[in-house]
Structures are given as C-alpha cells and as structure tokens.
mmCIF file of all heavy atoms in Angstrom:
data_model
loop_
_atom_site.group_PDB
_atom_site.id
_atom_site.type_symbol
_atom_site.label_atom_id
_atom_site.label_comp_id
_atom_site.label_asym_id
_atom_site.label_seq_id
_atom_site.Cartn_x
_atom_site.Cartn_y
_atom_site.Cartn_z
ATOM 1 N N GLU A 251 -8.466 0.631 7.439
ATOM 2 C CA GLU A 251 -9.164 1.867 7.798
ATOM 3 C C GLU A 251 -9.389 2.741 6.570
ATOM 4 O O GLU A 251 -10.475 3.321 6.390
ATOM 5 C CB GLU A 251 -8.360 2.639 8.842
ATOM 6 C CG GLU A 251 -8.986 3.967 9.237
ATOM 7 C CD GLU A 251 -8.117 4.781 10.182
ATOM 8 O OE1 GLU A 251 -7.360 4.181 10.974
ATOM 9 O OE2 GLU A 251 -8.191 6.032 10.130
ATOM 10 N N ALA A 252 -8.378 2.847 5.721
ATOM 11 C CA ALA A 252 -8.519 3.660 4.511
ATOM 12 C C ALA A 252 -9.593 3.093 3.585
ATOM 13 O O ALA A 252 -10.403 3.847 3.027
ATOM 14 C CB ALA A 252 -7.180 3.750 3.789
ATOM 15 N N LEU A 253 -9.624 1.780 3.443
ATOM 16 C CA LEU A 253 -10.634 1.150 2.582
ATOM 17 C C LEU A 253 -12.043 1.380 3.126
ATOM 18 O O LEU A 253 -12.975 1.673 2.372
ATOM 19 C CB LEU A 253 -10.342 -0.342 2.441
ATOM 20 C CG LEU A 253 -9.114 -0.706 1.604
ATOM 21 C CD1 LEU A 253 -8.788 -2.185 1.770
ATOM 22 C CD2 LEU A 253 -9.337 -0.381 0.128
ATOM 23 N N ARG A 254 -12.194 1.250 4.434
ATOM 24 C CA ARG A 254 -13.515 1.490 5.041
ATOM 25 C C ARG A 254 -13.949 2.935 4.849
ATOM 26 O O ARG A 254 -15.114 3.208 4.522
ATOM 27 C CB ARG A 254 -13.479 1.163 6.535
ATOM 28 C CG ARG A 254 -13.407 -0.304 6.881
ATOM 29 C CD ARG A 254 -13.717 -0.536 8.355
ATOM 30 N NE ARG A 254 -12.829 0.205 9.235
ATOM 31 C CZ ARG A 254 -11.676 -0.267 9.705
ATOM 32 N NH1 ARG A 254 -11.267 -1.475 9.360
ATOM 33 N NH2 ARG A 254 -10.936 0.467 10.527
ATOM 34 N N SER A 255 -13.025 3.850 5.040
ATOM 35 C CA SER A 255 -13.356 5.271 4.916
ATOM 36 C C SER A 255 -13.746 5.621 3.487
ATOM 37 O O SER A 255 -14.682 6.397 3.258
ATOM 38 C CB SER A 255 -12.170 6.125 5.368
ATOM 39 O OG SER A 255 -11.871 5.882 6.720
ATOM 40 N N SER A 256 -13.031 5.044 2.539
ATOM 41 C CA SER A 256 -13.365 5.304 1.139
ATOM 42 C C SER A 256 -14.734 4.721 0.780
ATOM 43 O O SER A 256 -15.553 5.371 0.125
ATOM 44 C CB SER A 256 -12.286 4.716 0.232
ATOM 45 O OG SER A 256 -12.578 4.970 -1.120
ATOM 46 N N ALA A 257 -14.992 3.505 1.243
ATOM 47 C CA ALA A 257 -16.269 2.851 0.924
ATOM 48 C C ALA A 257 -17.461 3.606 1.498
ATOM 49 O O ALA A 257 -18.582 3.517 0.968
ATOM 50 C CB ALA A 257 -16.258 1.421 1.448
ATOM 51 N N ALA A 258 -17.246 4.366 2.570
ATOM 52 C CA ALA A 258 -18.336 5.105 3.200
ATOM 53 C C ALA A 258 -18.706 6.388 2.461
ATOM 54 O O ALA A 258 -19.747 6.990 2.753
ATOM 55 C CB ALA A 258 -17.958 5.445 4.645
ATOM 56 N N LEU A 259 -17.885 6.800 1.520
ATOM 57 C CA LEU A 259 -18.147 8.034 0.779
ATOM 58 C C LEU A 259 -19.092 7.768 -0.391
ATOM 59 O O LEU A 259 -19.154 6.648 -0.911
ATOM 60 C CB LEU A 259 -16.834 8.611 0.242
ATOM 61 C CG LEU A 259 -15.852 9.157 1.265
ATOM 62 C CD1 LEU A 259 -14.549 9.557 0.577
ATOM 63 C CD2 LEU A 259 -16.436 10.347 2.008
ATOM 64 N N PRO A 260 -19.818 8.798 -0.850
ATOM 65 C CA PRO A 260 -20.596 8.641 -2.078
ATOM 66 C C PRO A 260 -19.685 8.224 -3.233
ATOM 67 O O PRO A 260 -18.536 8.658 -3.305
ATOM 68 C CB PRO A 260 -21.180 10.039 -2.301
ATOM 69 C CG PRO A 260 -21.136 10.694 -0.966
ATOM 70 C CD PRO A 260 -19.951 10.141 -0.259
ATOM 71 N N GLU A 261 -20.186 7.405 -4.112
ATOM 72 C CA GLU A 261 -19.345 6.831 -5.166
ATOM 73 C C GLU A 261 -18.627 7.906 -5.974
ATOM 74 O O GLU A 261 -17.459 7.742 -6.347
ATOM 75 C CB GLU A 261 -20.187 5.959 -6.094
ATOM 76 C CG GLU A 261 -19.379 5.228 -7.137
ATOM 77 C CD GLU A 261 -20.199 4.241 -7.933
ATOM 78 O OE1 GLU A 261 -21.395 4.075 -7.637
ATOM 79 O OE2 GLU A 261 -19.649 3.631 -8.873
ATOM 80 N N ALA A 262 -19.290 9.002 -6.248
ATOM 81 C CA ALA A 262 -18.690 10.054 -7.069
ATOM 82 C C ALA A 262 -17.517 10.736 -6.375
ATOM 83 O O ALA A 262 -16.683 11.362 -7.034
ATOM 84 C CB ALA A 262 -19.740 11.089 -7.444
ATOM 85 N N LYS A 263 -17.440 10.621 -5.044
ATOM 86 C CA LYS A 263 -16.370 11.281 -4.296
ATOM 87 C C LYS A 263 -15.426 10.276 -3.654
ATOM 88 O O LYS A 263 -14.657 10.621 -2.761
ATOM 89 C CB LYS A 263 -16.973 12.182 -3.216
ATOM 90 C CG LYS A 263 -17.804 13.342 -3.766
ATOM 91 C CD LYS A 263 -18.285 14.250 -2.656
ATOM 92 C CE LYS A 263 -19.053 15.439 -3.215
ATOM 93 N NZ LYS A 263 -19.502 16.356 -2.138
ATOM 94 N N ARG A 264 -15.453 9.040 -4.125
ATOM 95 C CA ARG A 264 -14.731 7.947 -3.478
ATOM 96 C C ARG A 264 -13.404 7.674 -4.188
ATOM 97 O O ARG A 264 -13.383 7.138 -5.292
ATOM 98 C CB ARG A 264 -15.594 6.697 -3.501
ATOM 99 C CG ARG A 264 -15.021 5.501 -2.755
ATOM 100 C CD ARG A 264 -15.928 4.302 -2.942
ATOM 101 N NE ARG A 264 -17.290 4.598 -2.506
ATOM 102 C CZ ARG A 264 -18.366 3.918 -2.909
ATOM 103 N NH1 ARG A 264 -18.226 2.925 -3.788
ATOM 104 N NH2 ARG A 264 -19.565 4.243 -2.456
ATOM 105 N N PRO A 265 -12.259 8.029 -3.583
ATOM 106 C CA PRO A 265 -10.979 7.684 -4.212
ATOM 107 C C PRO A 265 -10.690 6.192 -4.047
ATOM 108 O O PRO A 265 -11.013 5.597 -3.014
ATOM 109 C CB PRO A 265 -9.963 8.523 -3.425
ATOM 110 C CG PRO A 265 -10.591 8.702 -2.083
ATOM 111 C CD PRO A 265 -12.082 8.762 -2.309
ATOM 112 N N GLU A 266 -10.106 5.601 -5.059
ATOM 113 C CA GLU A 266 -9.659 4.216 -4.954
ATOM 114 C C GLU A 266 -8.441 4.171 -4.032
ATOM 115 O O GLU A 266 -7.500 4.943 -4.202
ATOM 116 C CB GLU A 266 -9.287 3.683 -6.338
ATOM 117 C CG GLU A 266 -8.786 2.249 -6.323
ATOM 118 C CD GLU A 266 -8.326 1.769 -7.692
ATOM 119 O OE1 GLU A 266 -8.346 2.579 -8.650
ATOM 120 O OE2 GLU A 266 -7.941 0.593 -7.805
ATOM 121 N N VAL A 267 -8.482 3.303 -3.055
ATOM 122 C CA VAL A 267 -7.348 3.114 -2.152
ATOM 123 C C VAL A 267 -6.548 1.901 -2.624
ATOM 124 O O VAL A 267 -7.072 0.789 -2.674
ATOM 125 C CB VAL A 267 -7.808 2.917 -0.698
ATOM 126 C CG1 VAL A 267 -6.605 2.612 0.198
ATOM 127 C CG2 VAL A 267 -8.547 4.150 -0.199
ATOM 128 N N ILE A 268 -5.287 2.138 -2.977
ATOM 129 C CA ILE A 268 -4.407 1.069 -3.435
ATOM 130 C C ILE A 268 -3.604 0.573 -2.232
ATOM 131 O O ILE A 268 -2.843 1.332 -1.636
ATOM 132 C CB ILE A 268 -3.438 1.569 -4.530
ATOM 133 C CG1 ILE A 268 -4.195 2.271 -5.652
ATOM 134 C CG2 ILE A 268 -2.584 0.424 -5.053
ATOM 135 C CD1 ILE A 268 -5.195 1.404 -6.369
ATOM 136 N N PRO A 269 -3.768 -0.700 -1.857
ATOM 137 C CA PRO A 269 -2.938 -1.221 -0.763
ATOM 138 C C PRO A 269 -1.457 -1.156 -1.138
ATOM 139 O O PRO A 269 -1.067 -1.572 -2.236
ATOM 140 C CB PRO A 269 -3.403 -2.674 -0.622
ATOM 141 C CG PRO A 269 -4.769 -2.708 -1.241
ATOM 142 C CD PRO A 269 -4.713 -1.705 -2.357
ATOM 143 N N GLY A 270 -0.648 -0.626 -0.249
ATOM 144 C CA GLY A 270 0.773 -0.484 -0.554
ATOM 145 C C GLY A 270 1.634 -0.585 0.679
ATOM 146 O O GLY A 270 1.154 -0.728 1.812
ATOM 147 N N ILE A 271 2.932 -0.511 0.454
ATOM 148 C CA ILE A 271 3.924 -0.561 1.528
ATOM 149 C C ILE A 271 5.222 0.003 0.968
ATOM 150 O O ILE A 271 5.425 0.012 -0.257
ATOM 151 C CB ILE A 271 4.119 -2.013 2.022
ATOM 152 C CG1 ILE A 271 4.843 -2.053 3.368
ATOM 153 C CG2 ILE A 271 4.823 -2.864 0.970
ATOM 154 C CD1 ILE A 271 4.762 -3.413 4.062
ATOM 155 N N GLU A 272 6.086 0.504 1.844
ATOM 156 C CA GLU A 272 7.420 0.942 1.434
ATOM 157 C C GLU A 272 8.446 0.210 2.297
ATOM 158 O O GLU A 272 8.476 0.383 3.515
ATOM 159 C CB GLU A 272 7.591 2.455 1.576
ATOM 160 C CG GLU A 272 8.936 2.947 1.052
ATOM 161 C CD GLU A 272 9.070 4.461 1.032
ATOM 162 O OE1 GLU A 272 8.240 5.149 1.667
ATOM 163 O OE2 GLU A 272 10.014 4.965 0.394
ATOM 164 N N PHE A 273 9.265 -0.605 1.642
ATOM 165 C CA PHE A 273 10.291 -1.365 2.342
ATOM 166 C C PHE A 273 11.614 -0.609 2.317
ATOM 167 O O PHE A 273 12.036 -0.112 1.269
ATOM 168 C CB PHE A 273 10.504 -2.726 1.682
ATOM 169 C CG PHE A 273 9.365 -3.692 1.872
ATOM 170 C CD1 PHE A 273 8.696 -4.213 0.776
ATOM 171 C CD2 PHE A 273 8.968 -4.084 3.137
ATOM 172 C CE1 PHE A 273 7.657 -5.116 0.936
ATOM 173 C CE2 PHE A 273 7.925 -4.982 3.311
ATOM 174 C CZ PHE A 273 7.268 -5.503 2.207
ATOM 175 N N SER A 274 12.269 -0.559 3.461
ATOM 176 C CA SER A 274 13.629 -0.025 3.543
ATOM 177 C C SER A 274 14.603 -1.189 3.394
ATOM 178 O O SER A 274 14.543 -2.148 4.160
ATOM 179 C CB SER A 274 13.854 0.677 4.881
ATOM 180 O OG SER A 274 13.005 1.789 5.012
ATOM 181 N N THR A 275 15.500 -1.108 2.427
ATOM 182 C CA THR A 275 16.429 -2.189 2.150
ATOM 183 C C THR A 275 17.848 -1.641 2.087
ATOM 184 O O THR A 275 18.056 -0.423 2.081
ATOM 185 C CB THR A 275 16.092 -2.882 0.816
ATOM 186 O OG1 THR A 275 16.465 -2.027 -0.286
ATOM 187 C CG2 THR A 275 14.612 -3.213 0.706
ATOM 188 N N GLU A 276 18.822 -2.537 2.019
ATOM 189 C CA GLU A 276 20.221 -2.112 1.981
ATOM 190 C C GLU A 276 20.908 -2.659 0.741
ATOM 191 O O GLU A 276 20.798 -3.848 0.423
ATOM 192 C CB GLU A 276 20.966 -2.584 3.222
ATOM 193 C CG GLU A 276 22.399 -2.055 3.289
ATOM 194 C CD GLU A 276 23.090 -2.370 4.590
ATOM 195 O OE1 GLU A 276 22.480 -3.023 5.457
ATOM 196 O OE2 GLU A 276 24.254 -1.955 4.741
ATOM 197 N N TYR A 277 21.626 -1.775 0.055
ATOM 198 C CA TYR A 277 22.345 -2.136 -1.163
ATOM 199 C C TYR A 277 23.670 -1.390 -1.168
ATOM 200 O O TYR A 277 23.688 -0.153 -1.170
ATOM 201 C CB TYR A 277 21.497 -1.763 -2.382
ATOM 202 C CG TYR A 277 22.198 -1.876 -3.722
ATOM 203 C CD1 TYR A 277 22.392 -3.108 -4.331
ATOM 204 C CD2 TYR A 277 22.644 -0.735 -4.381
ATOM 205 C CE1 TYR A 277 23.015 -3.206 -5.563
ATOM 206 C CE2 TYR A 277 23.268 -0.816 -5.615
ATOM 207 C CZ TYR A 277 23.453 -2.063 -6.204
ATOM 208 O OH TYR A 277 24.079 -2.149 -7.423
ATOM 209 N N LEU A 278 24.751 -2.129 -1.099
ATOM 210 C CA LEU A 278 26.096 -1.543 -1.107
ATOM 211 C C LEU A 278 26.240 -0.436 -0.061
ATOM 212 O O LEU A 278 26.844 0.607 -0.309
ATOM 213 C CB LEU A 278 26.435 -1.006 -2.504
ATOM 214 C CG LEU A 278 26.425 -2.030 -3.641
ATOM 215 C CD1 LEU A 278 26.759 -1.354 -4.964
ATOM 216 C CD2 LEU A 278 27.392 -3.177 -3.366
ATOM 217 N N GLY A 279 25.654 -0.673 1.104
ATOM 218 C CA GLY A 279 25.761 0.284 2.198
ATOM 219 C C GLY A 279 24.784 1.435 2.148
ATOM 220 O O GLY A 279 24.794 2.285 3.043
ATOM 221 N N SER A 280 23.926 1.474 1.124
ATOM 222 C CA SER A 280 22.955 2.563 0.990
ATOM 223 C C SER A 280 21.546 2.083 1.326
ATOM 224 O O SER A 280 21.216 0.908 1.145
ATOM 225 C CB SER A 280 22.961 3.107 -0.441
ATOM 226 O OG SER A 280 24.195 3.690 -0.768
ATOM 227 N N ASP A 281 20.739 3.007 1.783
ATOM 228 C CA ASP A 281 19.335 2.743 2.102
ATOM 229 C C ASP A 281 18.515 2.914 0.825
ATOM 230 O O ASP A 281 18.396 4.027 0.301
ATOM 231 C CB ASP A 281 18.882 3.722 3.185
ATOM 232 C CG ASP A 281 17.504 3.410 3.720
ATOM 233 O OD1 ASP A 281 17.070 2.255 3.626
ATOM 234 O OD2 ASP A 281 16.857 4.337 4.247
ATOM 235 N N ILE A 282 17.956 1.822 0.324
ATOM 236 C CA ILE A 282 17.173 1.829 -0.909
ATOM 237 C C ILE A 282 15.735 1.478 -0.577
ATOM 238 O O ILE A 282 15.477 0.500 0.137
ATOM 239 C CB ILE A 282 17.724 0.809 -1.931
ATOM 240 C CG1 ILE A 282 19.191 1.089 -2.239
ATOM 241 C CG2 ILE A 282 16.877 0.805 -3.205
ATOM 242 C CD1 ILE A 282 19.455 2.402 -2.921
ATOM 243 N N HIS A 283 14.783 2.248 -1.085
ATOM 244 C CA HIS A 283 13.378 2.027 -0.772
ATOM 245 C C HIS A 283 12.642 1.413 -1.962
ATOM 246 O O HIS A 283 12.736 1.910 -3.085
ATOM 247 C CB HIS A 283 12.708 3.338 -0.375
ATOM 248 C CG HIS A 283 13.155 3.843 0.960
ATOM 249 N ND1 HIS A 283 12.536 4.888 1.616
ATOM 250 C CD2 HIS A 283 14.146 3.427 1.783
ATOM 251 C CE1 HIS A 283 13.138 5.097 2.769
ATOM 252 N NE2 HIS A 283 14.121 4.221 2.884
ATOM 253 N N ILE A 284 11.911 0.351 -1.659
ATOM 254 C CA ILE A 284 11.098 -0.328 -2.656
ATOM 255 C C ILE A 284 9.633 -0.192 -2.250
ATOM 256 O O ILE A 284 9.243 -0.600 -1.151
ATOM 257 C CB ILE A 284 11.463 -1.825 -2.764
ATOM 258 C CG1 ILE A 284 12.947 -2.000 -3.092
ATOM 259 C CG2 ILE A 284 10.572 -2.506 -3.814
ATOM 260 C CD1 ILE A 284 13.371 -1.492 -4.451
ATOM 261 N N VAL A 285 8.831 0.384 -3.120
ATOM 262 C CA VAL A 285 7.396 0.508 -2.896
ATOM 263 C C VAL A 285 6.697 -0.697 -3.515
ATOM 264 O O VAL A 285 6.990 -1.087 -4.649
ATOM 265 C CB VAL A 285 6.853 1.820 -3.501
ATOM 266 C CG1 VAL A 285 5.336 1.792 -3.626
ATOM 267 C CG2 VAL A 285 7.288 3.010 -2.653
ATOM 268 N N GLY A 286 5.782 -1.282 -2.762
ATOM 269 C CA GLY A 286 4.933 -2.347 -3.280
ATOM 270 C C GLY A 286 3.507 -1.847 -3.407
ATOM 271 O O GLY A 286 2.979 -1.203 -2.492
ATOM 272 N N LEU A 287 2.879 -2.123 -4.538
ATOM 273 C CA LEU A 287 1.516 -1.671 -4.799
ATOM 274 C C LEU A 287 0.594 -2.849 -5.085
ATOM 275 O O LEU A 287 0.981 -3.789 -5.798
ATOM 276 C CB LEU A 287 1.484 -0.722 -6.009
ATOM 277 C CG LEU A 287 2.326 0.550 -5.933
ATOM 278 C CD1 LEU A 287 2.295 1.273 -7.268
ATOM 279 C CD2 LEU A 287 1.851 1.457 -4.806
ATOM 280 N N ASP A 288 -0.598 -2.787 -4.550
ATOM 281 C CA ASP A 288 -1.694 -3.694 -4.911
ATOM 282 C C ASP A 288 -1.345 -5.164 -4.707
ATOM 283 O O ASP A 288 -1.747 -6.018 -5.491
ATOM 284 C CB ASP A 288 -2.112 -3.436 -6.364
ATOM 285 C CG ASP A 288 -3.548 -3.863 -6.629
ATOM 286 O OD1 ASP A 288 -4.373 -3.767 -5.706
ATOM 287 O OD2 ASP A 288 -3.834 -4.296 -7.765
ATOM 288 N N MET A 289 -0.596 -5.464 -3.631
ATOM 289 C CA MET A 289 -0.239 -6.842 -3.357
ATOM 290 C C MET A 289 -1.307 -7.484 -2.459
ATOM 291 O O MET A 289 -2.182 -6.810 -1.925
ATOM 292 C CB MET A 289 1.141 -6.937 -2.700
ATOM 293 C CG MET A 289 1.255 -6.280 -1.347
ATOM 294 S SD MET A 289 1.478 -4.492 -1.459
ATOM 295 C CE MET A 289 1.085 -4.007 0.229
ATOM 296 N N GLN A 290 -1.206 -8.785 -2.293
ATOM 297 C CA GLN A 290 -2.121 -9.520 -1.416
ATOM 298 C C GLN A 290 -1.629 -9.344 0.028
ATOM 299 O O GLN A 290 -1.074 -10.252 0.635
ATOM 300 C CB GLN A 290 -2.172 -10.986 -1.828
ATOM 301 C CG GLN A 290 -2.736 -11.208 -3.220
ATOM 302 C CD GLN A 290 -2.591 -12.646 -3.683
ATOM 303 O OE1 GLN A 290 -2.179 -13.535 -2.943
ATOM 304 N NE2 GLN A 290 -2.926 -12.892 -4.944
ATOM 305 N N TYR A 291 -1.862 -8.167 0.544
ATOM 306 C CA TYR A 291 -1.239 -7.781 1.810
ATOM 307 C C TYR A 291 -1.792 -8.544 3.003
ATOM 308 O O TYR A 291 -1.162 -8.614 4.057
ATOM 309 C CB TYR A 291 -1.390 -6.272 2.039
ATOM 310 C CG TYR A 291 -2.796 -5.830 2.369
ATOM 311 C CD1 TYR A 291 -3.182 -5.635 3.695
ATOM 312 C CD2 TYR A 291 -3.736 -5.624 1.376
ATOM 313 C CE1 TYR A 291 -4.464 -5.233 4.010
ATOM 314 C CE2 TYR A 291 -5.016 -5.231 1.677
ATOM 315 C CZ TYR A 291 -5.382 -5.037 2.984
ATOM 316 O OH TYR A 291 -6.661 -4.648 3.288
ATOM 317 N N GLN A 292 -2.969 -9.140 2.879
ATOM 318 C CA GLN A 292 -3.568 -9.868 3.993
ATOM 319 C C GLN A 292 -3.069 -11.306 4.109
ATOM 320 O O GLN A 292 -3.390 -11.982 5.087
ATOM 321 C CB GLN A 292 -5.090 -9.857 3.871
ATOM 322 C CG GLN A 292 -5.706 -8.464 4.040
ATOM 323 C CD GLN A 292 -7.195 -8.470 3.813
ATOM 324 O OE1 GLN A 292 -7.680 -8.954 2.786
ATOM 325 N NE2 GLN A 292 -7.942 -7.941 4.776
ATOM 326 N N ALA A 293 -2.297 -11.752 3.140
ATOM 327 C CA ALA A 293 -1.804 -13.129 3.172
ATOM 328 C C ALA A 293 -0.967 -13.347 4.438
ATOM 329 O O ALA A 293 -0.102 -12.528 4.756
ATOM 330 C CB ALA A 293 -0.974 -13.421 1.931
ATOM 331 N N PRO A 294 -1.203 -14.427 5.172
ATOM 332 C CA PRO A 294 -0.480 -14.657 6.430
ATOM 333 C C PRO A 294 1.038 -14.650 6.271
ATOM 334 O O PRO A 294 1.746 -14.089 7.123
ATOM 335 C CB PRO A 294 -0.995 -16.027 6.886
ATOM 336 C CG PRO A 294 -2.365 -16.123 6.293
ATOM 337 C CD PRO A 294 -2.255 -15.444 4.961
ATOM 338 N N GLU A 295 1.552 -15.239 5.211
ATOM 339 C CA GLU A 295 3.001 -15.275 5.033
ATOM 340 C C GLU A 295 3.548 -13.869 4.794
ATOM 341 O O GLU A 295 4.622 -13.520 5.300
ATOM 342 C CB GLU A 295 3.388 -16.189 3.874
ATOM 343 C CG GLU A 295 4.887 -16.363 3.713
ATOM 344 C CD GLU A 295 5.272 -17.190 2.499
ATOM 345 O OE1 GLU A 295 4.389 -17.840 1.902
ATOM 346 O OE2 GLU A 295 6.462 -17.162 2.122
#
C-alpha cells in the first residue's frame, strides 16, 4: 500500500518507501528489537 501510494504522487513529491520490518527477539531474558531494511520481503520463505 505504501509503495502504491508513493508511486501515485508527482515525482518531485514522492518519498522513497523502504520495505522494512521490526522483529521482537529474546536475548538473556530481554526483549531485543532487530530492524530489517530493504530485504526481499515478498520471497515465499
């Protein structure tokens, strides 16, 4: 949805949308967050 919305804007006003995600993980009993940027998010696996 974000990519479609950006593509619909005039080029001069079009922000680049970086595909991302934030994973919640556990390390020594603490909640640690890892952000992923610009990955192949559509891959089935």
Side-chain angles (χ1 to χ4, degrees):
E251 178 185 330
L253 289 169
R254 288 194 303 270
S255 298
S256 181
L259 292 174
E261 185 173 357
K263 296 184 177 181
R264 185 184 304 159
E266 179 184 3
V267 175
I268 308 299
I271 195 166
E272 185 173 14
F273 289 121
S274 297
T275 73
E276 185 173 1
Y277 171 78
L278 300 179
S280 296
D281 188 24
I282 303 295
H283 289 191
I284 303 294
V285 164
L287 301 174
D288 204 32
M289 63 280 164
Q290 296 172 7
Y291 71 97
Q292 293 176 308
E295 185 184 347

